[in-house]
Amino acid sequence: EIQVTKYHCVHKATAAMPFQMEDACRPDLVRETDVGAYDHEANSSAEMGRVGQETRLDHRWIDLRTPANQSIFRVQSMVCTLFREYLLSQNFIEIHTPKLLSGASEGGADVFTLDYFGRPACLSMSPQLHKQMAAACGGFERVFEVGPVFRAENSNTRRHLCEFTGLDFEMAISEHYDEVLDVLGDLFVYIFDGLKEKCASEIERVKEQHGFDDFKYLQKTLKIDYATGCKLLREAGVDQGDYDDLSTENEKKLGDIVREKYDTDFFIMDKYPLAVRPFYTMPDPNNPKLSNSYDVFIRGQEILSGAQRVHEPELIEERAKAWGIDVSTIASYVDSFRNGALPHGGGGIGLERVVMLYLGLPNIRKSSMFPRDPRRISP
């Protein structure tokens, strides 16, 4: 038996609690969808003693105290740790690239622009161009980075953010870009094995509040090509052409088909149509409509997009012009290949989306400690 004779207050609260911790810890009553639009207003209210998502985010410093949220971000931390561990073991080095750029890193208009001492500039939407310079042109050959990525997309969905953490890597290719796919598959198996071993209790805490199916993966990662994925969809009665981009709904459907057919929630899909990939993507030498590119999926949603990159300056300029990109804005990037460059490839992973899908969370805002979307820029 314990008898309290004296206690000390470290710091007295001066404001009332915005919500009760008991309410913030209640298990989900119903399973939310993890795709589609996100309604900020609808998620501001509380029902049946539960705390709305927007109210949680308005007072995130309180919301983070729940066992589920403590566990989500400890899992997120471990994903970063395992990402670094594996790549360092494979002779990669960590680099740090600039986030202030003179032009859009991947082309297009979805960038945050700013004035840079009288010159137009933007925030980086990818470390793509600089990691290529380092790996293919700078002699490092195998590089990776963990850093912020900015996207000025007015996408109020359950899986998009305006700022997220990118886990990027790039590597020289010796014989064939399948070498990159092998690294990718082994990297994620290492991460999944590590989470199962080191975060078992955290995963259970998340499951207690946000129930989800156990994550399934194969020790030898499943790889299919884009045409095969489209064929699987058509066999299931879905209208999907071999050269048409995959909609979010069709990606989810394909994930369900793959889980049923191959018993895995994780797979790589290769040989995407060239028309739906960035300008620096290497065309397929055997089919000009296809590319040496790939996406990685968890539970039917894309968490990585990658490719073999073009390493010939003339072809880079040709592809950039085809995308409507002013070549002068990427002149230093193109020039870096004029002194010779190694064939290379890589990919960019969205950390928050990996955690969201691995833990079966219905909203990426739950796996971002302080999310930034088109409607939120604080706290």
Side-chain angles (χ1 to χ4, degrees), residues 126-163:
S126 169
Q128 183 58 51
L129 311 186
H130 291 96
K131 65 178 181 173
Q132 283 185 258
M133 290 184 194
C137 311
F140 290 104
E141 297 196 6
R142 291 187 165 207
V143 302
F144 72 91
E145 178 173 15
V146 178
V149 176
F150 303 92
R151 299 285 170 90
E153 299 173 347
N154 191 15
S155 297
N156 294 283
T157 75
R158 295 175 177 272
R159 65 175 195 159
H160 289 94
L161 292 172
C162 293
E163 179 183 351

Side-chain angles (χ1 to χ4, degrees), residues 257-281:
I257 294 170
V258 168
R259 192 180 207 268
E260 182 177 348
K261 184 177 179 68
Y262 300 102
D263 198 34
T264 180
D265 289 311
F266 174 74
F267 67 98
I268 298 173
M269 190 154 66
D270 186 24
K271 291 294 180 188
Y272 271 70
L274 183 62
V276 302
R277 306 305 275 195
F279 77 91
Y280 46 75
T281 303

Side-chain angles (χ1 to χ4, degrees), residues 325-373:
I325 297 172
D326 182 353
V327 177
S328 67
T329 64
I330 57 169
S332 61
Y333 167 67
V334 178
D335 289 346
S336 68
F337 292 91
R338 298 194 190 281
N339 300 109
L342 296 171
H344 60 288
I349 304 163
L351 172 62
E352 291 84 353
R353 196 178 289 186
V354 169
V355 175
M356 166 194 170
L357 295 170
Y358 178 82
L359 294 175
L361 299 172
N363 193 325
I364 199 167
R365 292 158 185 80
K366 293 183 183 296
S367 58
S368 175
M369 188 170 283
F370 298 102
R372 295 291 181 260
D373 64 27

Side-chain angles (χ1 to χ4, degrees), residues 12 55 93 102 129 132 166 187 215 219 284 308 318 340 377:
K12 184 178 180 179
T55 302
I93 71 160
S102 61
L129 311 186
Q132 283 185 258
L187 165 64
F215 183 75
Q219 287 298 312
D284 182 346
Q308 179 183 356
E318 178 185 322
I377 197 170

Side-chain angles (χ1 to χ4, degrees), residues 226 230 233 240 244-248 250-251 254 269 272 297:
Y226 193 83
C230 294
L233 284 168
Q240 177 65 49
D244 297 331
D245 201 3
L246 276 178
S247 66
T248 300
N250 285 3
E251 285 181 349
L254 180 60
M269 190 154 66
Y272 271 70
F297 293 88

